[in-house]
Amino acid sequence: YEAKRMIERTPENIRAIRPLKDGVIADFEVTEILLRYFIQKVQPRAWGVRPRMVVSVPSGITSVEKKAVKNSAINAGARKVYTVAECKAGAIGAGLHIAEPVGVMVIDIGGGTTGVAVLSLGELVTLETLPVAGDEMDDAVINYVRDMYGMEIGHRTAEEVKIAIGSAYPLQDEVSYEIRGKDIAPAPPRPLALSRREIREAIRRPIHPLIH
């Protein structure tokens, strides 16, 4: 979270890196450093103790990608690594009763992929993975602001406004949200108020395959 807050605010000699992309490892070395940091954060004084870890992975991950996740966690200091499908982990985190003999549908919208799953008796019954998710929605907001207002905003700002007022269908409170961006032509950054209707229009295309 601390690193994500630095995006678009770092000087030219510092670069923010995303070691995980589309739910899989994009940079093994940085991923291991990141996992080692988390292990030390939860066990600051446990010298020599190698914890067991549970790592959520995309439901459509390949066996090779899953093995890469396990190896990175072990190299970072884990003693034993278990993986769980993100859809299943999300359902448990939301308090859904997935162990019951009824179907529970979960839509897990990540950064690069969206998993749509039905669970019953604690296991996945059916699953479909779509290559559309939050990152594409952010890109859609960036393109909308550029095309409609001639203003450049970054992914951090796009995600912020998407979370604040984004919706897939009209809501009763059609509010607006103020952002700041730079004009494409040289000019100081200026404020811009975007309405919920505009954000809904901006993300309409990436949302479409998720609701149909």
Side-chain angles (χ1 to χ4, degrees):
Y1 175 75
E2 291 86 352
K4 190 171 185 180
R5 293 179 61 189
M6 292 167 51
I7 295 177
E8 301 170 19
R9 297 183 176 181
T10 58
E12 293 183 359
N13 62 324
I14 296 178
R15 182 167 58 97
I17 300 174
R18 293 182 61 175
L20 300 172
K21 189 170 179 62
D22 296 340
V24 296
I25 297 174
D27 189 316
F28 287 94
E29 183 178 354
V30 177
T31 297
E32 291 174 12
I33 293 172
L34 184 64
L35 289 174
R36 193 173 297 116
Y37 166 78
F38 288 138
I39 292 173
Q40 293 173 351
K41 191 169 185 178
V42 297
Q43 294 189 165
R45 298 190 181 125
W47 298 103
V49 175
R50 294 171 65 86
R52 290 179 296 172
M53 293 180 63
V54 177
V55 182
S56 65
V57 296
S59 303
I61 195 173
T62 66
S63 58
V64 174
E65 292 168 338
K66 186 181 294 186
K67 185 176 181 180
V69 171
K70 289 185 175 181
N71 289 340
S72 291
I74 289 173
N75 291 337
R79 170 167 51 97
K80 185 73 175 177
V81 181
Y82 304 92
T83 59
V84 59
E86 288 178 346
C87 289
K88 187 175 182 179
I92 294 171
L96 301 179
H97 301 293
I98 64 172
E100 300 294 330
V102 294
V104 177
M105 184 177 182
V106 179
I107 302 178
D108 174 37
I109 303 177
T113 60
T114 295
V116 182
V118 175
L119 301 100
S120 181
L121 296 174
E123 298 296 335
L124 287 172
V125 176
T126 185
L127 165 73
E128 182 173 355
T129 301
L130 303 173
V132 178
D135 290 344
E136 190 165 340
M137 296 180 201
D138 296 342
D139 290 338
V141 172
I142 291 172
N143 293 334
Y144 179 88
V145 173
R146 182 191 301 120
D147 295 342
M148 295 298 295
Y149 295 100
M151 180 183 288
E152 292 286 355
I153 62 173
H155 283 86
R156 182 176 179 274
T157 301
E159 182 185 44
E160 184 179 292
V161 67
K162 176 192 69 179
I163 293 173
I165 61 172
S167 67
Y169 57 91
L171 299 177
Q172 190 171 9
D173 56 333
E174 291 293 314
V175 298
S176 62
Y177 189 86
E178 185 175 289
I179 62 173
R180 299 188 71 86
K182 294 182 179 180
D183 288 321
I184 294 177
R190 63 183 175 91
L192 171 66
L194 292 172
S195 68
R196 174 166 280 158
R197 179 192 60 77
E198 289 181 293
I199 299 303
R200 187 165 57 249
E201 174 63 25
I203 64 176
R204 178 175 55 84
R205 180 170 293 180
I207 284 279
H208 185 267
L210 305 185
I211 60 179
H212 290 83

